[in-house]
Amino acid sequence: MSKDEALFILQLIGGPKGGGVKSGGGAKGTGKTIHGETRANQRGFSNDKINDIKNNYSHKVYQSGGRTVYAKKNGNYYDVVVINRKGEVITTVGGNTKSLKTWKDVTKMLNNQGGFSSLPVD
């Protein structure tokens, strides 16, 4: 497991010792967790792009822990934004990496991160 994958999993389960990842520091006031801010910057997701994906998604699914996943086809690739129950961006996938070519790629990624449902889980 890479360091990035481990950090993502810690984000999903509430961080080390159950403390969660806070929105302080570099992400303060952005509507993103620190991990979400880092990933958005690395993958070329501006606030406008994130809002466009949330408002004009082609797929919307849910994950446990109150997470909502928005995916939007962008040319030949999908861009994905994952929001926690507080409405904060916890991660973005795709963007300038162009790593998600098909919906199957998106579902594979989601299944590797605990699965997904077409109905809210909790």
Side-chain angles (χ1 to χ4, degrees), residues 63 104-117:
Q63 292 184 303
K104 185 176 179 179
D105 292 336
V106 175
T107 60
K108 181 178 179 182
M109 180 267 304
L110 293 172
N111 282 325
N112 287 338
Q113 300 299 330
F116 68 97
S117 171

Side-chain angles (χ1 to χ4, degrees), residues 29-49:
T30 66
K32 301 176 190 85
T33 62
I34 293 170
H35 179 84
E37 179 77 11
T38 301
R39 290 293 177 252
N41 289 337
Q42 288 174 338
R43 296 171 177 162
F45 283 80
S46 66
N47 287 336
D48 286 342
K49 182 174 186 169

Side-chain angles (χ1 to χ4, degrees), residues 23 40 48 55 59 72-75 77 92-93 95 107 114 117 121:
S23 295
D48 286 342
N55 294 325
H59 299 289
K72 182 179 179 188
K73 186 82 168 168
N74 185 8
Y77 302 92
T92 56
V93 185
T107 60
S117 171
V121 180

